[in-house]
Amino acid sequence: MRKSKHTSRRQFLGLAGGAAVLGAVPIVTVRPVEATPAMLATAMRNIVGEAPVRIGKVKLDVPPLVENGNTVPMTVSVSNPMTPDDYVKSIHVFNEKNPQPNVGNFYLGPHAGRAQISTRIRLADSQKIVAVARLSDDSFWSATADVVVTLAACTEEVI
Amino acid sequence: MASALINVPKKARRGEIIEIKTLMSHIMETGYRHTAAGEVVPRDIITSFVCRYNGVEIFRADLFPAIAANPFITFFTVATESGKFDFEWTGDKRFTETASASISVE
């Protein structure tokens, strides 16, 4: 039910954006459109490029079930030594169904000692989170986690 | 306005890995919410966070609307020498805020 409503709105927005040239475009871009798995893939490609992303090394800690999507604690750690010639360059976090596929990019270096970051994120829906780590040899490693959200964030009305 | 909370150990042994915790008070308005009247609330977020250790950048983050309000970020670094950590947050609407913390390394 909900799914079909979203689809029709997206189709409508797509048509409106395609038909109207100027005036409608800003409205279209700020509407709470969901990111899609395709947008997630595109956002990842922007960071990763054509390099293969292997599963492993990265540990993504998020609660499997959260009541409130407005603050979800998240920890990403990478099991890799942090030495001057073998270290984690950056950690990128993506989501599947927020309005934007990006969550955050975190840039580390060999001086970090431990490749681990924590923050609190927003989740607009129950969805998949992906964390990607870039190592100093430009290889990419990833981990995913599924989170069930009972109260969504990001797009609710302001009272 | 003292809106930053920083947690850095005051003392550390040389070579020790220390955890740095930072919290900046900020609404992080996503730009995807709208009022009951249907108007979109404009985006107002922190887009960038940088930490420097004695002037050298050791950690940087790009933030997106998917970061919760009052961004809380923790990370690690190796305590190499006594000195100062400088933190800087920048964002929409010319938001810029700095904080610092010192450490003594034995």
Side-chain angles (χ1 to χ4, degrees):
Chain A
M1 172 65 198
R2 195 156 164 260
K3 198 88 182 170
S4 66
K5 201 179 98 193
H6 275 263
T7 320
S8 66
R9 181 171 66 196
R10 192 176 304 139
Q11 282 167 346
F12 165 74
L13 289 174
L15 282 174
V21 188
L22 281 173
V25 173
I27 303 165
V28 170
T29 51
V30 291
R31 289 312 292 264
V33 185
E34 277 182 7
T36 60
M39 283 169 71
L40 167 72
T42 312
M44 277 177 66
R45 282 289 148 225
N46 284 342
I47 300 284
V48 173
E50 292 307 308
V53 179
R54 279 170 282 183
I55 291 170
K57 285 200 182 219
V58 181
K59 189 158 169 268
L60 174 56
D61 272 332
V62 275
L65 179 101
V66 293
E67 265 181 29
N68 186 344
N70 277 307
T71 53
V72 182
M74 174 191 79
T75 299
V76 185
S77 53
V78 187
S79 53
N80 197 68
M82 294 299 266
T83 58
D85 30 276
D86 183 12
Y87 60 93
V88 178
K89 264 187 184 170
S90 57
I91 293 171
H92 309 271
V93 183
F94 305 96
N95 70 79
E96 202 177 16
K97 289 186 179 167
N98 280 6
Q100 272 185 1
N102 295 81
V103 175
N105 302 325
F106 306 90
Y107 303 91
L108 322 168
H111 38 63
R114 185 180 305 165
Q116 179 180 329
I117 58 109
S118 302
T119 187
R120 295 178 191 145
I121 66 171
R122 285 185 174 127
L123 295 174
D125 204 346
S126 300
Q127 56 182 304
K128 187 172 82 177
I129 319 278
V130 184
V132 176
R134 178 189 201 139
L135 305 192
S136 50
D137 61 0
D138 284 327
S139 64
F140 292 90
W141 297 83
S142 76
T144 59
D146 287 296
V147 185
V148 175
V149 179
T150 49
L151 174 66
C154 300
T155 52
E156 78 278 26
E157 275 191 1
V158 181
I159 301 147
Chain B
M1 191 173 70
S3 47
L5 274 178
I6 306 287
N7 189 336
V8 176
K10 284 192 174 66
K11 279 185 185 172
R13 292 187 311 277
R14 193 173 304 276
E16 190 182 344
I17 297 170
I18 57 167
E19 184 176 23
I20 297 175
K21 300 181 186 178
T22 68
L23 188 141
M24 165 55 68
S25 113
H26 194 284
I27 183 170
M28 293 295 276
E29 183 60 56
T30 60
Y32 294 100
R33 301 197 304 160
H34 46 84
T35 61
E39 291 163 47
V40 169
V41 183
R43 192 184 90 159
D44 181 10
I45 64 163
I46 293 174
T47 50
S48 167
F49 167 72
V50 180
C51 173
R52 294 185 189 86
Y53 185 11
N54 288 336
V56 180
E57 182 180 305
I58 56 162
F59 181 81
R60 185 159 54 90
D62 301 331
L63 309 185
F64 292 87
I67 300 290
N70 304 324
F72 167 74
I73 302 174
T74 74
F75 52 96
F76 291 84
T77 194
V78 176
T80 48
E81 54 187 333
S82 298
K84 211 169 106 184
F85 290 98
D86 288 301
F87 305 90
E88 190 182 349
W89 294 261
T90 49
D92 294 338
K93 299 184 179 172
R94 294 195 195 134
F95 177 88
T96 168
E97 196 75 55
T98 56
S100 62
S102 50
I103 185 169
S104 74
V105 176
E106 291 147 6

